Amino acid sequence: MDNKLMLMIPGPTPVPESVLLAMAKHPIGHRSGDFAKIMEEVTHGLKWLHQTQNDVLILAASGTGAMEAGIINFLSAGDRVLVGSNGKFGDRWAQVSKAYGLAVEVISAEWGQPLDPAVFRERLEADTEKTIKAVIITHSETSTGVINDLETINRFVKAHGEALIIVDTVTSLGACNVPVDEWGLDVVASGSQKGYMIPPGLSFVAVGPKAWKAYETATLPKFYFDLGKYKKDAAKNSNPFTPPVNLFYALQAALKLMQAEGLDSIFARHHRLMSATRAAVQALGLPLFAPEGAGSPSITAVIPDQVDAEQIRSIMKKRYDILLAGGQDHLKGKIFRIGHLGFVSDRDILTAIGALEATLQELGYKGATVGEGVAAAAKILAQ
Ligand SMILES: *Cc1c(COP(=O)(O)O)cnc(C)c1O
């Protein structure tokens, strides 16, 4: 059947109809007063979403562009940085940092486990000479469905006093609480095709005062992603280069939806979707990849032992038009991931779990009876 595909992947995520329709207009001139009004409104909305009074800058790039901007604007070649890595996106932070000649020390954890804040504390406390310039981590590690304890790690960064905290919040912003100012997060990167409920193409960097101070002395090369230019122009509700105007229409519409729902409701919804999904998977006798308490609010990874993860994904797609994500790198073929980020409702979870049960039945899986997953999810959704 045409037009039935349901995206249950962690990006691109589903886009609400009002957001799609907002984009179906001619682009307007990006130096016009009308565009400046949109720029003013979305900048205001982005600050609300980030819970910050400081800058949130908008880039025409995918999330990785925001990550790169977060490095090159605030650091210099040879700078010592601690990079947390427990998955594909933590690895990406290390790759970007190495590409720009930073002295990278990776603090890793096994894929599927959260980073250990105590290791960060040890390394930061031992640095009495204050040579560590930044701690760089991924909040929600999309590749494994694990949430890292940003709040605790950041507390140790604050106790260090010198190092910046640079965070990838691509699948945590708009899914769980990331109070940028309250926690004093210096650089926060995110992308449009995740919690924002808009198509790929925009990314965002929140920058605090301490990071701007570092910007003054940072010497890594930059041009298109020179955030100083974006800050200067944002003050005039403008952009240094031609922005993807229609994606700004989408951003404006999506932020309106988010503001109508409210931050607390958005966070509660994602928590509920995560809890229902995890309970259903467990009720079906399928092992969860992330331990209890470390599950990402936006994605649940499953590591089936009696059925093939890729067969599950294939049947879910072919018979039920539901797209699940597979494993990345060494987890390819070993796990599947259910995205529940952005424009996702309770009904979507019941649908996905129902289809998963039918899929398991088709594969001759004996670990559970059809209905047990939906029952477990429904119990949580009803609370
Ligand atoms: C999606 C994602 C990114 C950005 O990926 P792009 O393909 O560049 O948009 C970065 N970090 C995490 C955790 C992600 O989920």
Side-chain angles (χ1 to χ4, degrees):
M1 222 186 274
D2 193 29
N3 205 22
K4 268 285 187 190
L5 184 67
M6 205 172 142
L7 285 176
M8 298 287 284
I9 58 173
T13 62
V15 180
E17 193 169 65
S18 62
V19 175
L20 289 171
L21 290 173
M23 289 195 298
K25 281 188 296 201
H26 286 290
I28 56 174
H30 63 288
R31 303 289 178 216
S32 66
D34 284 342
F35 188 79
K37 274 193 211 125
I38 295 175
M39 185 68 189
E40 185 176 8
E41 186 182 325
V42 298
T43 299
H44 196 262
L46 288 170
K47 290 184 184 194
W48 166 82
L49 179 63
H50 285 75
Q51 305 180 61
T52 183
Q53 306 290 323
N54 299 315
D55 299 290
V56 184
L57 306 169
I58 310 169
L59 307 174
S62 79
T64 306
M67 294 168 73
E68 183 156 336
I71 297 288
I72 63 180
N73 282 276
F74 310 108
L75 295 163
S76 304
D79 276 355
R80 181 182 176 204
V81 296
L82 303 185
V83 176
S85 184
N86 53 339
K88 174 111 186 149
F89 292 100
D91 279 0
R92 186 168 299 174
W93 268 137
Q95 286 168 343
V96 178
S97 302
K98 282 178 189 160
Y100 282 99
L102 303 181
V104 177
E105 288 172 34
V106 176
I107 295 179
S108 55
E110 207 181 307
W111 286 38
Q113 294 299 316
L115 294 168
D116 180 1
V119 183
F120 287 84
R121 174 164 67 185
E122 216 167 86
R123 206 70 71 85
L124 286 159
E125 280 180 355
D127 180 35
T128 50
E129 306 285 307
K130 308 294 178 194
T131 56
I132 298 171
K133 298 294 180 207
V135 172
I136 305 170
I137 68 165
T138 308
H139 191 195
S140 162
E141 179 45 81
T142 313
S143 63
T144 61
V146 165
I147 188 112
N148 287 311
D149 188 353
L150 169 62
E151 187 177 6
T152 303
I153 293 171
N154 178 55
R155 222 180 296 130
F156 302 138
V157 177
K158 289 290 166 286
H160 177 272
E162 287 299 315
L164 296 172
I165 178 88
I166 299 177
V167 201
D168 169 343
T169 62
V170 176
T171 54
S172 61
L173 192 88
C176 62
N177 193 27
V178 186
V180 171
D181 284 2
E182 187 192 324
W183 289 356
L185 304 175
D186 299 305
V187 180
V188 177
S190 60
S192 60
Q193 80 276 26
K194 308 285 175 100
Y196 288 88
M197 310 185 289
I198 69 181
L202 291 179
S203 62
F204 309 90
V205 197
V207 183
K210 187 170 169 181
W212 283 125
K213 194 148 187 299
Y215 172 87
E216 286 167 20
T217 53
T219 58
L220 283 176
K222 52 190 170 289
F223 184 80
Y224 184 70
F225 285 145
D226 180 345
L227 294 179
K229 293 188 180 117
Y230 290 82
K231 178 183 166 69
K232 196 161 145 266
D233 282 21
K236 301 173 287 179
N237 295 314
S238 186
N239 288 271
F241 312 108
T242 311
V245 170
N246 293 53
L247 284 174
F248 276 67
Y249 299 155
L251 178 61
Q252 185 184 28
L255 284 167
K256 264 192 202 131
L257 291 177
M258 291 173 121
Q259 283 170 314
E261 186 176 0
L263 281 183
D264 289 342
S265 304
I266 293 173
F267 302 154
R269 174 167 56 84
H270 282 87
H271 186 80
R272 188 170 71 244
L273 300 179
M274 171 194 73
S275 303
T277 305
R278 287 179 66 92
V281 165
Q282 275 181 307
L284 292 172
L286 300 172
L288 289 162
F289 196 51
E292 199 55 42
S296 162
S298 56
I299 181 132
T300 297
V302 184
I303 181 156
D305 43 10
Q306 302 167 46
V307 260
D308 183 79
E310 285 307 298
Q311 269 189 319
I312 290 175
R313 289 208 316 127
S314 163
I315 294 175
M316 288 286 280
K317 165 111 196 303
K318 271 198 213 121
R319 289 186 56 82
Y320 302 105
D321 284 307
I322 297 176
L323 194 62
L324 302 179
Q328 292 170 292
D329 291 354
H330 66 271
L331 292 176
K332 216 179 186 81
K334 297 210 169 70
I335 65 169
F336 67 90
R337 296 173 297 147
I338 305 169
H340 33 81
L341 174 61
F343 188 54
V344 179
S345 68
D346 292 8
R347 186 185 70 193
D348 295 328
I349 297 300
L350 291 175
T351 304
I353 297 300
L356 176 61
E357 291 185 338
T359 299
L360 290 170
Q361 179 170 263
E362 185 170 334
L363 287 170
Y365 176 71
K366 296 276 182 278
T369 314
V370 170
E372 286 181 319
V374 169
K379 198 169 156 205
I380 291 197
L381 296 175
Q383 276 167 14

